[in-house]
Amino acid sequence: MNHAVNPVSRGALAADPAIGAGNVLQTLLDRGADPDGPGLSFDTAVEHHRAEQALSLGELDQRVAARAAGLHARGVRPRDPVAIWSGTAADHILSFLAVTRLGAIPALINGNLPAETVAAYIRGLRATATFADTDRRQRLAGLDLGLSSLSEVAELGQADPAEAPAPYRHHQQDPVVLTHTSGTTGMPKAVLHTHASIFAATRHLLSMPQAQGTRRILNALPAAHTATVLMVNQALANRADLLALSSQQGEIVLDAIQRWRPEGVFGFSVTWAQLARCDLSRYDLDCVRLWFNTGDCTHEPHVRHLVAVGSHEVMTRQGVARHAGSNFIDGLGSSEMGHAMFHVTHRSETDTYDRCIGRPYRFVEAAVLDPSGAPLPDGEVGHLGIRSPSLSPGYWNDSVTTYRARVNGYYLTGDLVRRDAEGRYFHLDRAADSVVGADGTRYYTALSEERVQAACPRVLDCTVVISRVGDQVVTDVLLDLDPAVELDPAVLREQVLTALDPATAATVRRVAVAGAAEVPKGATGKVRKALLREQAQHR
């Protein structure tokens, strides 16, 4: 009997000491993966490939090699920071693969940032080159980019793949990508990841049975985010199909599900909040088995809205049966964490909410810490500390901020959590959003949002900002309501006060219904909070 190991099996890849985030595509081909097998798909055209036309593994390699040749011809060399600013997923993902192929360091930049912010960010990176799409290149023209040149990203795909230099051989500690934080509290911070760190979670997952819903994936994560880099490498290593979207808008995601028929949909909580506004019965979503969330954890009503549709597989004595209702995997992650650190699975019949983020993955050591970094017992609220091989080594060109976020060997995520006796973690708030009153009472915005939405079915989304005004604590609540329902403002305020804990309810200053002028469509929770906090300061 032939017991030879498949060289491109998930287990073989997990055991390969040389594989990492910078060489997954090349490793697959070197190990004999079928070049006609699955590569990637994009929602925009890539050279002669039309939008949503699947690129095989070999075709993907050619498109990456062409861009590597174009980059090399423009002087890009190993260790050069190279900024990428575009509005499409294809530009970010193909540029990431091409820049890392050269051993240089792609710096992926959110396409929605203001040009002035991007220019300052590029200067801080000390980038040697910047590649942008036509619109964004024009917006950067005339701005100070420091030492960086400025070129059109589309031109890279016109180069001859045969002119690409041999792929760079990465060491596990080599830098392979720079992504950034949201920038809602100031200039975005550049988060560094290495060949090893941003592949650590994928290596672990490859050693486990493949989860259902991960053979055909719709990626609705922001293209310039660490999470998309993770998903690209996971899909390639799993030999799965992946369609990368350039937008996270709810209706665009639903339309893509109907066209492309994915098993799994991966996104952030802002997308699930938008789907809560949609009548899902109008869409054919039977193909979806899994919704996967990372970043901020998701509110209960948004999860329940999604698990009511789709289907999931259950092992029975008669074999695998397909049951109505999908799975929703929630957790908590960030660019710095290199993957979600926790996981909890919701289905229509489960009831583990109240901002439960579940248990840590097996490669993660998590702790609830007091301000000095000492561990706290179960039930007490403290700062979340993480030790994990997936963690970022730090912030690019910013050692001060890097070391401020470390204590006793833990990375401090900036979150307030508690752990129950069963080892499950619950997220109460971001430390920067929580407020301590003069009497020592601590108030939580995220937990308040969860309680309002869980108790008020007509509330589609909720933003709470809590502030100190002198010795007083004041709370402002901004609601997105079902447009088909009219509620008396006095009744609405009473419902909100009843949903909140008594201490927080006593501080409520304003309950208002959101308008487009106050909160732009698609704004994330962090952006909504920042806008509402700014408005509150002018009251």
Side-chain angles (χ1 to χ4, degrees), residues 59-103:
E59 290 169 333
L60 176 63
D61 179 59
Q62 287 295 294
R63 293 301 88 219
V64 171
R67 285 161 173 78
L71 289 160
H72 190 263
R74 288 164 174 79
V76 173
R77 297 294 184 267
R79 299 296 196 282
D80 286 347
V82 178
I84 309 295
W85 193 36
S86 174
T88 73
D91 281 343
H92 281 110
I93 292 171
L94 293 172
S95 297
F96 161 75
L97 294 169
V99 175
T100 54
R101 181 184 174 120
L102 296 176

Side-chain angles (χ1 to χ4, degrees), residues 348-486:
S348 56
E349 70 274 13
T350 58
D351 196 31
T352 309
Y353 290 103
D354 198 30
R355 296 193 64 76
C356 177
I357 54 176
R359 296 179 175 86
Y361 281 94
R362 288 199 293 183
F363 60 87
V364 175
E365 178 187 345
V368 184
L369 306 173
D370 70 11
S372 72
L376 292 171
D378 292 347
E380 290 199 28
V381 176
H383 297 269
L384 176 60
I386 294 291
R387 293 172 178 165
S388 170
S390 68
L391 284 175
S392 162
Y395 300 108
W396 187 255
N397 292 339
D398 191 355
S399 297
V400 172
T401 305
T402 294
Y403 289 106
R404 278 179 177 159
R406 263 67 175 181
V407 62
N408 287 349
Y410 289 99
Y411 164 64
L412 296 178
T413 70
D415 298 286
L416 296 174
V417 298
R418 65 178 175 86
R419 183 184 57 242
D420 70 10
E422 298 179 34
R424 296 176 301 191
Y425 283 71
F426 294 79
H427 182 264
L428 282 72
D429 212 352
R430 294 286 297 168
D433 295 330
S434 178
V435 169
V436 178
D439 63 353
T441 300
R442 184 176 280 278
Y443 301 86
Y444 305 102
T445 66
L447 185 60
S448 297
E449 292 163 356
E450 178 76 14
R451 288 171 171 167
V452 169
Q453 291 188 75
C456 305
R458 302 303 184 187
V459 173
L460 300 179
D461 207 353
C462 172
T463 303
V464 173
V465 168
I466 303 177
S467 310
R468 283 284 297 269
V469 179
D471 291 335
Q472 301 298 311
V473 173
V474 296
T475 298
D476 294 306
V477 182
L478 190 66
L479 305 175
D480 288 0
L481 298 182
D482 184 340
V485 176
E486 291 187 11

Side-chain angles (χ1 to χ4, degrees), residues 284-322:
D284 181 2
L285 305 178
D286 287 347
C287 60
V288 179
R289 301 182 188 182
L290 170 67
W291 311 89
F292 186 95
N293 177 68
T294 188
D296 298 330
C297 59
T298 306
H299 291 302
E300 175 182 348
H302 301 164
V303 176
R304 291 194 181 277
H305 188 61
L306 294 173
V307 297
V309 300
S311 62
H312 66 281
E313 292 179 346
V314 177
M315 183 62 70
T316 69
R317 292 182 178 180
Q318 292 73 37
V320 177
R322 195 158 183 171

